[in-house]
């Protein structure tokens, strides 16, 4: 545990990617293999199922620390992380012991079968015999959510360096689902074929947002331009007559997408297609929330399927006739993909696959015009891909860019404020905004990011002097301040008083120039909703 | 005897305000941090050691009187004296006694002996006004000795790897405290101009500090290698600091106790060093006064007041003030890294 806790602390203390990689390389080269594979699993989000409830952890923490329950809750609210809160509240141990990481994890997994008394005894025993650093790591192992600023890309780079294997190969061998309890790290990294796990997807190639004026990308003829759809990015895999559908979150979601079940037999074995899964009805794209509702259902009725039939808009071809074709040029891969989809359509007219249409333009100005129209056709913007680009691994700059339309926005009135977390715990930084509905203000969005530190302090000061009422951590304030709230999309929501729910709301700016009466209305929101289809 | 109004903490009998935030006639100032010592008062009174900074910040022409610790004086029957608060040099608690009733206004304070400030002394009273910046049981600050070791080890390692070490610390109080903890055998110590200004005031009125060199436009930056640089939080992210490359950035603040704060700062290292009291120190200080009425100002007011009532049976009241505590913005200008929604290609 100590070695893992040390590498965790090292990674946590640096903002430099290189230092993070080097710390991991050092760990992978010296750690016991059974521990190292768990380190990889945890850092790439493949943690074991949770076996201790947070209610139990709180209860035992209250008991061991002697701090009353309400104060533990307040502390948790401010720290924002239960594992850390408990670590800070428990007394420092003078008598510490050393454990092996994989043994601790295996014991935690086995707790599932144990009685409440045995579980409590184990956890409290550990709490009393670890240093603060290890205690935090231990609590994180219980609660999951290991966010340490280490992306899968960093883990891949570190493994590639530690075992001297090419990054692409490491990425591929690591993808898909595997169990750290039964897998050997060395075997997994050195096993040569793609056939040993026929469900294995390729790591997705992701684009950064365009950072320069588009004209600086050079000759338009070098670029392939597509629309950026708002669905679920996924891979359809057909191997050995079987179908696998993966989402970008690396979840195997084959069962959720029954439309694709007919593909084996129509699409040849050894095919992997990258695309966007999206509901299309009567040749019309449907908004994201329609799919969200469908994905959320446990059981799919015939009506659900008819209401939101899914197709994949195909972007790219990664495997063709059993060969990894990611090193071929974009245009070559696209040509193969077009042929493949056309052949399949010959077999079956109502094919749940569509080619992602190319945007045709004669100059960058026309491309820019096309981007502005994106929302009208249900898209988020454009994708710009170099025609000679290979299919890379992870998020990369240079060959692919996403060029999204500006967010939608609306002016709302600040009505409630709540304290932030961590260093902002003294400041009121979590805001609720309202729009006018006649003479009444109805809340429609919560947002906390987007203001500068200076503005936050200014707003905080204002809130403290204009509080109408306090209830728990929330203050209601005199409706006065107006903010422009940006968002990516809008969904109908009967659960909210405003009747809508925004996607990714954030503060764009403080409209000091606007009086409270000039804020937008509920009707304005409804109009945006209608325009979204 | 003491009331809280729109101008600040008021003693009507003596006609004086303590740390007022609006211009008033007579003000007693607990310490020279800008949220406690504001501009525009007709007359000021503070501890003798606070005067040079007050004059430097508020103007040479302010009307200000200095007192020693425990030197008592009387205004309209109210007996007043200043007592060490241990927050920064020249910081004081204000004791006021009228017809046998005793109040103590503590301003900001800590119980740790930082080697720079006269250590905190508990003062018996009936009513005690306390801050609550770190009034939450998750705040348990490391000892002065272990901090000293951590900072010097960090500097030593950075120097060995060919990097400078930049520590961001509030110019008044924390900068001098950091400076005095440094092991001068590791390398040379440089200062940002704003830090050097305050250091000079300390040296003129109180005593010598470790030797430093002020970075000016004439300084040859190539000479600065493996050195320690003490800078103000507002220099984070500026070209001034970038010219010190290659460097590692350290931040000294009580907020660094929380991992989220450490990570958001974008610093290489967070040292949990504060001039405010942590949870244990607050409880210890308050119990030592023997006071039964506690007024809780800036910080986790409502939480801490509830704790005092529930756990110790004290009469605790929250008071709204415009003091800001160990303010994030004084600590660092580093913008938080907002992780925008990650929604695919
Ligand atoms: Zn202060
Ligand atoms: Zn203060």
């Amino acid at each position: 545990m100590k070695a893992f806790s040390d590498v965790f602390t090292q990674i946590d203390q640096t903002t430099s990617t290189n230092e993070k990689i080097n710390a991991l390389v050092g760990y992978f080269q010296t750690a016991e293999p059974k521990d190292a594979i768990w380190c990889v699993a945890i850092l790439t989000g493949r943690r074991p199922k949770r076996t201790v409830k947070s209610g139990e952890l709180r209860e035992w923490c209250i008991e061991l620390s002697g701090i009353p329950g309400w104060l533990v809750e307040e502390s948790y609210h401010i720290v924002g992380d239960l594992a850390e809160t408990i670590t800070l509240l428990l007394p420092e141990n003078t008598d510490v012991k050393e454990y092996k990481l994989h043994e601790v994890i295996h014991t935690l997994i086995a707790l599932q079968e144990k009685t409440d008394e045995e579980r409590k005894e184990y956890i409290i025993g550990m709490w009393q015999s670890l240093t603060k650093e290890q205690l935090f790591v231990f609590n994180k192992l219980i609660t999951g959510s290991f966010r340490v600023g280490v992306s899968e890309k960093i883990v891949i780079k570190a493994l590639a360096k530690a075992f001297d294997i090419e990054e692409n190969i490491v990425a591929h061998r690591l993808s898909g689902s595997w169990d750290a309890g039964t897998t050997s790290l060395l075997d997994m990294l050195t096993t040569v074929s793609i056939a040993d796990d026929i469900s294995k997807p390729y790591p997705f190639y992701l684009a950064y947002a365009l950072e320069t004026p588009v004209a600086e990308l050079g000759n338009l003829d070098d670029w392939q331009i597509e629309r950026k759809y708002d669905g679920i990015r996924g891979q359809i895999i057909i191997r050995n007559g079987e179908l696998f559908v993966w989402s970008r979150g690396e979840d195997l979601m084959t069962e959720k997408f029954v439309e694709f079940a007919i593909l084996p037999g129509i699409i040849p074995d050894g095919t992997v297609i990258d695309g966007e899964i999206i509901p299309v009805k009567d040749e019309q794209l449907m908004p994201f929330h329609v799919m969200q509702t469908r994905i959320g259902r446990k059981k799919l009725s015939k009506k659900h399927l008819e209401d939101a039939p899914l197709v994949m808009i195909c972007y790219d071809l990664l495997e063709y006739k059993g060969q990894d074709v990611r090193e071929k040029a974009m245009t070559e891969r696209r040509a193969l993909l077009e042929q493949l989809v056309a052949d399949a359509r010959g077999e079956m007219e109502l094919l749940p696959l569509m080619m992602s249409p190319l945007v045709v333009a004669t100059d960058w100005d026309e491309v820019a015009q096309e981007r502005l129209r994106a929302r009208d056709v249900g898209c988020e913007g454009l994708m710009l891909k170099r025609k000679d680009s290979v299919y890379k691994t992870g998020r990369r700059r240079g060959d692919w860019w996403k060029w999204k339309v500006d967010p939608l926005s609306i002016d709302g009135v600040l009505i409630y404020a709540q304290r932030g977390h961590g260093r902002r715990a003294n400041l009121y930084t979590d805001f609720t905004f309202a729009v006018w509905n006649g003479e009444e203000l109805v809340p429609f969005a919560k947002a906390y990011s987007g203001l500068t530190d200076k503005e936050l302090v200014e707003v905080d000061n204002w809130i403290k002097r204009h509080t109408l009422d306090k209830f728990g951590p929330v203050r209601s304030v005199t409706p006065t301040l107006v903010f422009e709230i940006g968002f990516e999309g809008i969904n109908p929501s009967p659960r909210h008083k405003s009747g809508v729910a925004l996607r990714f709301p954030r503060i764009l700016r403080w409209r000091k120039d606007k009086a409270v009466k000039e804020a937008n209305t509920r009707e304005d929101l409804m109009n945006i909703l209608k325009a979204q289809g | 005897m003491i009331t809280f109004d729109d101008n600040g903490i008021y003693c009507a009998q003596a006609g004086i305000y303590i740390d007022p935030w609006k211009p008033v006639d007579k003000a007693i100032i607990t310490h020279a941090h800008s949220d406690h010592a504001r501009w525009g008062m007709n007359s000021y009174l503070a501890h003798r050691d606070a005067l040079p900074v007050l004059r430097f910040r508020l103007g040479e022409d302010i009307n200000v009187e200095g007192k020693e610790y425990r030197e008592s004086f009387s205004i309209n029957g109210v007996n007043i004296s200043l007592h060490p608060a241990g927050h920064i040099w020249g910081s004081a608690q204000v004791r006021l006694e009228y017809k046998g009733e005793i109040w103590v206004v503590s301003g900001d304070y800590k119980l740790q002996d930082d080697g720079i400030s006269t250590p905190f002394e508990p003062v018996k009273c009936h009513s005690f006004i306390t801050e609550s910046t770190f009034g939450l049981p998750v705040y348990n600050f490391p000892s002065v000795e272990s901090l000293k070791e951590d900072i010097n080890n960090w500097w030593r390692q950075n120097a060995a790897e060919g990097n400078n070490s930049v520590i961001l610390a509030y110019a008044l109080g924390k900068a001098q405290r950091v400076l005095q903890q440094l092991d001068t055998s590791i390398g040379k110590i440089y200062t940002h101009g704003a830090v050097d200004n305050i250091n000079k005031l300390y040296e003129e009125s109180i005593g010598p500090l470790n030797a430093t060199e002020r970075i000016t436009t004439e300084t040859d930056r190539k000479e600065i290698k493996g050195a320690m640089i003490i800078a103000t939080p507002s220099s984070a992210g500026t070209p001034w600091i970038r010219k010190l490359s290659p460097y590692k950035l350290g931040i000294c603040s009580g907020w660094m106790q929380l991992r989220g704060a450490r990570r958001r700062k974008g610093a290489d290292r967070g040292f949990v060093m504060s001039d405010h009291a942590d949870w244990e120190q607050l409880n210890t200080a308050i119990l030592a006064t023997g006071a039964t009425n506690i007024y809780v100002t800036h910080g986790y007011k409502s939480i801490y007041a509830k704790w005092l009532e529930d756990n110790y049976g004290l009469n605790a009241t929250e008071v709204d003030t415009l003091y800001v505590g160990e303010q994030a913005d004084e600590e660092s200008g580093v913008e938080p890294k907002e992780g925008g929604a990650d929604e695919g290609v």
Side-chain angles (χ1 to χ4, degrees):
Chain A
M1 245 319 241
K2 183 172 184 310
F4 180 64
S5 157
D6 284 351
V7 75
F8 178 87
T9 309
Q10 269 177 294
I11 292 170
D12 211 32
Q13 274 179 357
T14 178
T15 49
S16 145
T17 304
N18 267 336
E19 282 175 19
K20 286 178 186 178
I21 292 172
N22 289 337
L24 281 173
V25 171
Y27 178 76
F28 290 140
Q29 285 173 339
T30 52
E32 201 178 314
K34 280 182 176 170
D35 287 348
I37 183 99
W38 273 113
C39 174
V40 174
I42 287 162
L43 293 180
T44 56
R46 292 171 176 86
R47 51 175 194 274
K49 229 173 103 191
R50 185 165 172 170
T51 55
V52 187
K53 293 198 235 25
S54 56
E56 295 175 309
L57 294 175
R58 287 171 153 98
E59 196 184 298
W60 303 335
C61 170
I62 292 167
E63 201 178 307
L64 194 60
S65 68
I67 295 164
W70 69 269
L71 192 48
V72 170
E73 285 312 308
E74 291 282 5
S75 300
Y76 172 42
H77 173 80
I78 284 156
V79 175
D81 177 277
L82 186 62
E84 185 183 2
T85 308
I86 292 174
T87 309
L88 291 169
L89 292 179
L90 291 177
E92 189 107 30
N93 298 313
T94 41
D95 190 15
V96 295
K97 297 195 186 74
E98 175 54 23
Y99 302 88
K100 286 187 194 304
L101 177 67
H102 70 275
E103 284 175 7
V104 170
I105 294 175
H106 293 168
T107 313
L108 282 173
I109 295 171
L111 285 185
Q112 201 165 9
E113 323 272 288
K114 297 278 167 37
T115 66
D116 288 358
E117 269 312 302
E118 287 169 322
R119 288 138 51 89
K120 178 175 174 184
E121 195 186 332
Y122 173 68
I123 300 288
I124 290 202
M126 291 297 280
W127 279 354
Q128 289 175 316
S129 60
L130 294 170
T131 63
K132 283 270 171 185
E133 287 81 18
Q134 293 187 43
L135 188 57
F136 177 59
V137 169
F138 176 70
N139 288 339
K140 277 291 194 189
L141 289 175
I142 299 173
T143 61
S145 66
F146 250 95
R147 298 189 53 161
V148 288
V150 171
S151 61
E152 181 142 351
K153 197 151 100 188
I154 290 181
V155 178
I156 289 168
K157 284 199 163 162
L159 286 170
K161 207 165 162 186
F163 295 97
D164 197 20
I165 306 173
E166 243 181 87
E167 273 176 45
N168 291 347
I169 297 175
V170 172
H172 189 247
R173 289 177 186 166
L174 218 59
S175 59
S177 57
W178 43 268
D179 175 7
T182 55
T183 309
S184 143
L185 182 60
L186 213 59
D187 283 357
M188 178 167 67
L189 290 176
T190 52
T191 301
V192 182
S193 143
I194 32 174
D196 53 23
D197 179 359
I198 58 165
S199 77
K200 206 163 254 193
Y202 291 90
F204 285 86
Y205 180 9
L206 306 171
Y208 275 97
L210 186 64
E211 294 158 337
T212 51
V214 69
E216 286 178 21
L217 294 181
N219 192 345
L220 179 60
D221 290 339
D222 295 340
W223 293 84
Q224 169 176 313
I225 296 162
E226 295 167 68
R227 296 209 172 86
K228 182 178 180 333
Y229 295 90
D230 184 14
I232 292 182
R233 178 94 180 267
Q235 275 178 40
I236 287 181
I237 297 173
I238 314 271
R239 289 182 190 132
N240 290 7
E242 277 193 72
L243 166 82
F244 305 95
V245 185
W246 290 85
S247 77
R248 185 168 86 71
E250 298 246 319
D251 294 314
L252 191 53
M253 296 180 82
T254 316
E255 310 306 318
K256 295 271 179 191
F257 304 120
V258 293
E259 282 87 350
F260 303 131
I262 47 102
L263 289 177
I266 294 176
I267 300 284
D269 273 343
T271 303
V272 178
I273 301 172
D274 172 8
E276 195 89 12
I277 300 166
I278 201 162
V280 175
K281 199 177 180 185
D282 306 328
E283 296 182 11
Q284 287 287 314
L285 300 187
M286 298 170 81
F288 186 74
H289 63 85
V290 173
M291 159 134 78
Q292 223 173 11
T293 327
R294 187 182 134 174
I295 298 296
R297 294 196 196 280
K298 284 235 162 64
K299 281 223 167 77
L300 284 169
S301 72
K302 211 174 152 208
K303 182 167 183 315
H304 298 142
L305 294 176
E306 280 168 6
D307 284 351
L310 299 180
V311 303
M312 173 177 266
I313 297 184
C314 303
Y315 292 142
D316 217 322
L317 187 64
L318 312 186
E319 190 174 313
Y320 180 64
K321 294 186 174 165
Q323 296 295 313
D324 178 351
V325 292
R326 292 176 298 163
E327 291 294 318
K328 290 188 189 293
M330 178 80 240
T331 37
E332 237 179 296
R333 297 196 309 274
R334 174 142 179 131
L336 290 172
L337 180 62
E338 276 173 354
Q339 190 57 50
L340 194 89
V341 171
D343 289 351
R345 180 148 293 124
E347 302 257 329
M348 183 196 175
E349 212 182 322
L350 286 171
L351 189 72
L353 301 177
M354 287 166 55
M355 280 306 294
S356 154
L358 297 180
V359 171
V360 185
T362 52
D363 57 30
W364 287 115
D365 281 347
E366 276 183 40
V367 176
Q369 288 302 320
E370 193 55 38
R371 163 174 169 265
L372 295 180
R373 284 193 347 104
R375 206 161 258 139
D376 302 340
V377 292
C379 292
E380 296 183 296
L382 298 178
M383 285 300 306
L384 315 174
K385 299 174 181 172
R386 236 178 232 291
K387 285 182 179 166
D388 60 2
S389 61
V390 301
Y391 191 94
K392 294 181 186 169
T393 293
R395 200 176 289 283
R396 300 300 176 108
R397 288 193 164 74
D399 286 348
W400 284 18
W401 297 104
K402 58 179 174 187
W403 196 23
K404 291 173 59 170
V405 287
D406 294 329
L408 298 159
S409 78
I410 196 139
D411 291 335
V413 182
L414 173 66
I415 55 167
Y416 305 125
Q418 191 171 348
R419 273 196 309 255
H421 290 295
R423 91 185 158 103
R424 290 180 168 174
N426 270 341
L427 295 176
Y428 284 85
T429 58
D430 295 8
F431 305 134
T432 302
F433 298 97
V435 283
W436 291 105
N437 187 22
E439 287 301 298
E440 191 199 4
L441 280 166
V442 285
F444 72 100
K446 273 189 169 186
Y448 46 88
S449 65
L451 292 180
T452 63
D453 277 5
K454 210 173 144 205
E455 284 172 326
L456 276 178
V457 173
E458 199 181 331
V459 175
D460 174 76
N461 241 311
W462 184 91
I463 288 167
K464 283 174 182 157
R465 277 171 297 162
H466 296 86
T467 299
L468 292 177
D469 203 0
K470 295 182 198 174
F471 24 97
V474 181
R475 290 186 178 209
S476 68
V477 298
T478 327
T480 315
L481 306 187
V482 179
F483 294 84
E484 185 178 345
I485 310 301
F487 51 98
E488 298 295 324
I490 185 167
N491 299 339
S493 168
R495 283 188 302 120
H496 292 90
K497 210 173 166 191
S498 62
V500 298
L502 304 186
R503 293 180 64 207
F504 304 123
R506 58 199 183 274
I507 303 168
L508 292 181
R509 61 193 166 122
W510 184 356
R511 295 297 307 254
K512 290 187 177 175
D513 56 322
K514 286 220 166 179
V516 65
K517 268 287 159 198
E518 293 174 79
N520 281 106
T521 63
R522 186 170 174 275
E523 207 187 329
D524 297 330
L525 277 174
M526 288 303 163
N527 286 336
I528 300 178
L529 182 64
K530 264 184 240 152
Q532 292 275 291
Chain B
M1 173 179 165
I2 298 277
T3 52
F4 303 89
D5 67 20
D6 283 350
N7 297 327
I9 302 172
Y10 184 50
C11 174
Q13 180 63 29
I16 53 125
Y17 278 92
I18 295 154
D19 294 352
W21 47 82
K22 283 186 184 160
V24 299
D25 187 32
K26 286 184 190 152
I28 297 181
I29 302 298
T30 60
H31 67 286
H33 276 153
S34 55
D35 56 325
H36 291 258
R38 297 183 194 240
W39 186 84
M41 316 298 158
N42 271 339
S43 67
Y44 293 85
L45 187 148
H47 186 264
R48 207 178 55 109
D49 289 345
L51 300 198
V53 183
L54 286 176
R55 289 206 179 93
F56 177 75
R57 291 195 154 169
L58 302 174
E60 284 303 324
D61 55 345
I62 57 167
N63 175 10
V64 60
E65 185 186 349
K67 294 284 182 195
E68 297 291 342
Y69 288 127
R70 292 171 290 276
E71 173 188 350
S72 98
F73 52 98
S74 168
I75 304 178
N76 198 24
V78 183
N79 264 320
I80 304 177
S81 51
L82 304 181
H83 301 263
H87 174 53
I88 57 171
W89 37 288
S91 69
Q93 312 176 68
V94 184
R95 179 186 184 278
L96 303 103
E97 178 174 2
Y98 183 64
K99 292 190 176 160
E101 187 188 347
I102 304 168
W103 281 66
V104 169
V105 183
S106 61
D108 293 340
Y109 64 91
K110 70 169 178 292
L111 272 56
Q112 282 185 328
D113 181 355
D114 64 12
I116 283 284
S117 322
T118 310
F120 177 91
E121 283 175 19
V123 181
K124 290 277 174 210
C125 59
H126 302 107
S127 299
F128 184 66
I129 303 180
T130 181
E131 56 140 327
S132 60
T133 307
F134 294 109
L136 206 65
V138 296
Y139 292 105
N140 291 296
F141 298 152
S143 70
V144 173
E145 297 71 40
S146 78
L147 261 177
K148 180 172 179 172
E149 205 180 301
D150 282 354
I151 292 179
N152 285 313
N153 284 342
W154 179 71
W155 181 15
R156 205 171 285 121
Q157 192 190 339
N158 291 341
E161 289 167 1
N163 291 314
N164 286 316
S165 304
V166 181
I167 283 193
L168 303 181
Y170 196 47
L172 172 56
K174 205 169 286 173
Q176 293 78 46
R177 179 178 172 186
V178 170
L179 175 55
Q180 286 316 85
Q181 303 209 343
L182 295 176
D183 176 352
T184 52
S185 71
I186 301 172
K188 225 176 142 176
I189 306 168
Y190 290 86
T191 53
H192 182 273
V195 170
D196 188 52
N197 288 339
I198 305 290
N199 285 356
K200 291 233 164 66
L201 294 175
Y202 183 95
E203 292 194 307
E204 280 161 20
S205 54
I206 300 175
L209 293 166
N210 281 334
T212 58
E213 190 175 320
R214 179 183 180 125
I215 298 181
T216 66
T217 45
E218 270 96 71
T219 310
D220 181 3
R221 304 270 182 137
K222 284 188 213 81
E223 295 278 286
I224 308 181
K225 274 214 179 88
M228 170 66 79
I229 298 100
I230 305 176
T232 56
S234 59
S235 36
T238 61
W240 183 89
I241 208 163
R242 280 197 290 275
K243 280 191 216 151
L244 297 166
S245 293
Y247 68 87
K248 294 279 170 184
L249 188 67
I251 291 179
C252 291
S253 163
W255 299 117
M256 294 295 116
Q257 181 103 61
L258 300 191
R259 180 164 167 262
R262 285 197 298 275
R263 285 153 58 89
R264 273 194 297 272
K265 289 286 187 182
D268 298 298
R269 188 68 187 269
F271 296 101
V272 187
M273 179 197 276
S274 177
D275 287 326
H276 293 262
D278 67 5
W279 177 252
E280 281 304 323
Q281 295 176 42
L282 283 172
N283 291 332
T284 308
I286 285 167
L287 293 180
T289 64
T292 47
N293 299 311
I294 312 296
Y295 294 85
V296 186
T297 69
H298 55 322
Y300 299 108
K301 282 184 299 198
S302 45
I303 298 172
Y304 193 59
K306 180 172 159 60
W307 161 259
L308 291 177
E309 292 205 328
D310 283 10
N311 199 58
Y312 301 123
L314 298 170
N315 263 326
T317 315
E318 289 177 58
V319 185
D320 270 338
T321 61
L322 292 188
Y323 310 135
V324 292
E326 185 153 310
Q327 190 46 259
D329 302 78
E330 298 180 340
E331 297 298 328
S332 162
V334 180
E335 270 297 296
K337 288 180 183 155
E338 298 290 2
D342 188 8
E343 71 292 11
V345 179

